[in-house]
Amino acid sequence: MDQFATGSRLPIASSPAVAVVFPGQGTEFTGMAEDYLQSFGLVRELFQMASDRLDTDLRQLMAKGPPNALAEARVAQPVVFTMSVAISSLLAERGFAPSLVAGHSMGQFTAITVAGSIDFASALALIVERGQLMQRNNEAVNGGMMAIDVVARNVVEAAIAEIGADVWISNFNASSQSVVSGLKPALWQLKKVLDQQGALCRWLNVPGPAHSPLMSMAASGLAPRIAATTFRDPKIPLLASSSAAPICSAAAVRAELSEHMLSPVNWAKCVTTIAEHGCDIMIEAGPGRTLKGLALRNQSPLRCLTTSTVADFDTACHAVEEMTGSVLQ
C-alpha cells in the first residue's frame, strides 16, 4: 500500500486477487435493486438518502418506471451509483476488501467513493448535481451516442475525419468496439459511412453526447462543486477511467473528476491493467452485466462475476470464497 500511496505505478497484487468495477449510466432498468431492497436494510437506507436528496421516490420509480423517466440523467446516475455503493457495502459487511477498484464513465465516482476518497453523502451530492447539469446540457444540445462494433478504432477515426466535425470517440471499450458522441445529424452521417464498411452501429439509450466537448456546459457547471469538495487519498488501488493510470492522491482524484465529462473512457486499457495488476476475478458491482460483456470482448483472462440480483451477489461471494479460501460472513 505504501508504494500505491506514494508512487505512480500500481503494485502487483498477491494472487488470488479480486477487482471490483462499477458501471455507469445506461445500465439502469425497471425492477433494478428490488430484491436487494427487500433483503437488506442497508440498501434501503442508502436509497432513502438518495430519494431524499432528489425529493423523488426512487424505489417506486425503479419498480414501475416509466423507463424513459428512469433513463433521465438526473435519475439514472443516482440510482446506478447508489446500487453500486450498496453492493460494495454488502461485500464489505461480509469481510471482503477489493484489491483494486475502477469505474466505467459515471462509475468513476463510485470507484472513488469505494476507495475511500469521499464519503457517500458527499459523492451523492456530486452525482445528483452532475445528473441535473447533464440533463440540462442534453436538452440544450441535439446530441447522442452510438456504439460501433466489428471495425477497428482506426476505421472509426478515418470515418470521423471523412465527415468532418461534431463527432468524437467517447469510449474505447474493446479492440472491436468504440462508442462515439456527437450531434445527431453528424452521427447519422457517420453511420452511413460506417455501414458501407461493414460496421454494426447502434444507438445507445443515453440522452446526450457524454465524454465529448459537447458536455462543456455541464462540466463548467460542476467545476465549482468539485473544487469545493474535500477529497482524501484513496485507501485502495484505484484506476482513472480516462487512462487506466493509478489515482494515488486527493489532488489526482480532483483532477480526474474535473476533466471527467469531457474526456473519453479507455475501458479496454482499464481491463488490461486490472489483469496486469494480478487480479484473477472481476466483480461488476451494480445493475446489469455490461462490464462483464466488455471484458469478454477484450478476451481478458479475468473471471467476471455480476451482482445485478441478490442471487448473482451470492454466486459472486461463493466464487470469491472458493478462489481465496476465505469464508465471507
Side-chain angles (χ1 to χ4, degrees):
M1 186 62 71
D2 290 342
Q3 180 185 0
F4 169 69
T6 59
S8 59
R9 295 173 60 87
L10 287 171
I12 301 300
S14 299
S15 188
V18 183
V20 179
V21 296
F22 307 101
Q25 184 180 348
T27 57
E28 68 283 345
F29 61 90
T30 304
M32 63 179 282
E34 184 56 34
D35 55 347
Y36 281 100
L37 286 159
Q38 292 176 5
S39 302
F40 300 104
L42 181 150
V43 180
R44 292 192 293 273
E45 180 182 345
L46 291 179
F47 269 105
Q48 188 59 56
M49 290 176 65
S51 293
D52 292 345
R53 185 83 198 189
L54 277 172
D55 194 24
T56 301
D57 187 340
L58 292 179
R59 184 170 186 176
Q60 181 177 6
L61 186 55
M62 289 188 296
K64 299 181 179 179
N68 62 330
L70 184 59
E72 290 182 356
R74 68 177 190 86
V75 174
Q77 294 186 26
V79 300
V80 172
F81 167 76
T82 302
M83 183 175 178
S84 292
V85 172
I87 291 169
S88 294
S89 299
L90 293 176
L91 287 168
E93 281 194 341
R94 295 184 67 159
F96 169 77
S99 302
L100 180 149
V101 293
H104 188 283
S105 189
M106 187 275 297
Q108 180 79 84
F109 286 78
T110 317
I112 286 167
T113 304
V114 174
S117 288
I118 187 174
D119 61 82
F120 174 77
S122 299
L124 177 63
L126 278 177
I127 287 290
V128 168
E129 186 160 353
R130 180 182 190 269
Q132 291 170 343
L133 287 165
M134 288 183 68
Q135 185 76 28
R136 291 197 288 270
N137 195 124
N138 294 342
E139 290 167 356
V141 176
N142 183 28
M145 300 181 74
M146 188 167 60
I148 303 168
D149 290 297
V150 179
V151 297
R153 171 179 168 179
N154 65 313
V155 175
V156 179
E157 290 172 334
I160 291 173
E162 180 179 335
I163 69 163
D166 300 331
V167 180
W168 297 263
I169 296 182
S170 51
N171 294 49
F172 302 110
N173 281 336
S175 59
S176 61
Q177 187 190 81
S178 301
V179 175
V180 294
S181 294
L183 297 179
K184 287 184 178 178
L187 289 172
W188 278 112
Q189 284 183 277
L190 181 67
K191 185 178 185 305
K192 290 179 182 178
V193 172
L194 289 171
D195 283 346
Q196 294 173 356
Q197 300 185 45
L200 297 177
C201 303
R202 59 184 175 86
W203 294 94
L204 297 185
N205 186 30
V206 178
H211 299 289
S212 79
L214 295 174
M215 299 306 300
S216 59
M217 183 174 70
S220 296
L222 191 61
R225 167 73 76 169
I226 293 172
T229 299
T230 299
F231 297 100
R232 298 177 290 275
D233 293 347
K235 298 177 182 178
I236 300 169
L238 166 69
L239 296 183
S241 65
S242 60
S243 63
I247 300 177
C248 303
S249 67
V253 168
R254 191 186 308 279
E256 176 69 12
L257 295 186
S258 296
E259 297 296 324
H260 184 70
M261 279 194 275
L262 305 176
S263 301
V265 173
N266 196 337
W267 191 248
K269 191 171 182 180
C270 285
V271 172
T272 298
T273 302
I274 289 169
E276 290 175 346
H277 179 61
C279 293
D280 307 279
I281 292 178
M282 186 175 84
I283 297 176
E284 181 173 0
R289 48 161 289 158
T290 297
L291 302 185
K292 177 177 181 177
L294 293 180
L296 293 173
R297 278 181 170 274
N298 282 290
Q299 299 181 327
S300 170
L302 293 163
R303 181 181 179 187
C304 305
L305 304 167
T306 59
T307 59
S308 194
T309 66
V310 172
D312 293 336
F313 174 83
D314 289 337
T315 298
C317 288
H318 292 320
V320 171
E321 290 172 342
E322 290 174 3
M323 178 164 279
T324 62
S326 60
V327 178
L328 302 184
Q329 302 300 314

